[in-house]
């Protein structure tokens, strides 16, 4: 097994290789505006560090979000392109929040929150580091503070809003290594728990056509 994992649903552009036992190489850069520029060089770095080539990859793991429209689709499109180039190797989708939860290592109930912009967070509750309790959602921090009262909250979204999430904890940013390790565990257990590699947006894109926009066609 050699899994190539990537996630661009958050400001972290993160890539890792996992051999089924451990992470063998990982690269993470935090830059909310350069996902398209940073992802492929990161893939090159981890392949070189591991001393292997792309055609040795047996599966691809990709974070499906939730995340902002443009950054999120960079990772998903790249994963699909690699799968096609490698003759159809499987692409395993995972919720981005699940990667942060897994990396936290927290054993009891907690939540994960990432920055959704517009003064909102993408969030989900967890029974433990491997088990999400319900679907991911997007809300204003003040609207969910009471529901998450008393729980640790992991991620950049928690750190941004300390009044709503007083027990904010790391990791702050996504790790493709954690995402790959979670995928390797699930594959070893029979391959369940994966999502279709399609974007989980949860809301409309930030860029929208103006309401009074008029289409002008040539005559």
């Amino acid at each position: 097994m050699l899994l190539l994992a990537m996630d661009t649903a958050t400001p972290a552009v993160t890539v890792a290789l996992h051999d089924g036992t451990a992470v063998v190489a990982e690269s993470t850069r935090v830059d909310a505006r350069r996902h398209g520029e940073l992802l492929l060089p990161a893939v090159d770095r981890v392949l070189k560090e591991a001393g292997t080539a792309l055609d040795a990859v047996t599966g691809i793991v990709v974070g499906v979000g939730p995340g902002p429209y443009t950054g999120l689709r960079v990772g998903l499109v790249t994963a699909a392109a690699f799968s096609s180039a490698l003759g159809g190797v499987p692409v395993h989708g995972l919720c981005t929040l699940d990667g942060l939860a897994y990396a936290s290592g927290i054993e009891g109930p907690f939540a994960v929150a990432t920055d959704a912009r517009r003064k909102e967070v993408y969030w989900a509750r967890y029974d433990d580091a491997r088990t999400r309790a319900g679907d991911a959602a997007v809300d204003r921090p003040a609207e969910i503070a009471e529901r998450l009262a008393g729980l640790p909250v992991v991620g950049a979204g928690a750190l941004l809003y300390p009044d709503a999430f007083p027990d904010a904890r790391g990791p702050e940013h996504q790790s493709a290594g954690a995402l790959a390790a979670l995928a390797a565990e699930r594959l070893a257990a029979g391959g369940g728990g994966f999502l279709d590699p399609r974007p989980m947006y949860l809301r409309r894109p930030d860029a929208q056509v103006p309401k009074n926009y008029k289409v002008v066609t040539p005559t």
Side-chain angles (χ1 to χ4, degrees):
M1 179 189 296
L2 187 62
L3 299 175
L4 173 64
M6 63 188 72
D7 196 318
T8 59
T10 71
V13 180
T14 180
V15 178
L17 280 172
H18 195 288
D19 65 4
T21 301
V23 174
V24 294
E26 183 171 7
S27 172
T28 299
R29 290 277 300 276
V30 178
D31 191 325
R33 298 183 181 276
R34 299 177 62 214
H35 296 85
E37 297 175 47
L38 297 175
L39 182 57
L40 291 180
V43 173
D44 285 341
R45 279 196 299 275
V46 299
L47 290 171
K48 289 178 180 177
E49 182 180 338
T52 191
L54 184 62
D55 58 10
V57 169
T58 60
I60 299 171
V61 180
V62 63
V64 303
Y69 182 80
T70 302
L72 173 56
R73 64 180 180 175
V74 169
L76 287 161
V77 169
T78 302
F82 283 161
S83 173
S84 178
L86 295 171
V89 300
V91 180
H92 308 290
L94 285 174
C95 176
T96 292
L97 303 180
D98 290 358
L100 282 157
Y102 185 84
S104 76
I106 297 174
E107 294 300 327
F110 68 102
V112 173
T114 60
D115 182 16
R117 305 174 187 172
R118 300 185 191 176
K119 299 181 179 180
E120 295 179 328
V121 292
Y122 296 119
W123 69 281
R125 292 184 63 144
Y126 290 80
D127 293 330
D128 55 52
R130 293 173 173 81
T131 311
R132 180 159 34 89
D135 295 330
V138 58
D139 288 290
R140 290 184 177 272
E143 294 171 349
I144 59 173
E146 185 174 344
R147 296 164 65 182
L148 302 182
L151 294 179
V153 184
V154 170
L159 295 169
L160 280 173
Y161 302 101
D163 290 343
F165 311 120
D167 190 2
R169 301 188 187 183
E172 179 178 359
H173 296 295
Q174 175 70 302
S175 160
L179 204 68
L182 176 59
E185 279 192 11
R186 292 184 177 180
L187 287 169
F194 292 106
L195 303 173
D196 290 337
R198 297 181 180 180
M200 185 188 298
Y201 291 131
L202 300 187
R203 71 181 185 202
R204 296 178 62 83
D206 291 334
Q208 299 182 27
V209 176
K211 292 182 179 179
N212 297 322
Y213 178 77
K214 295 182 179 179
V215 177
V216 179
T217 56
T219 57

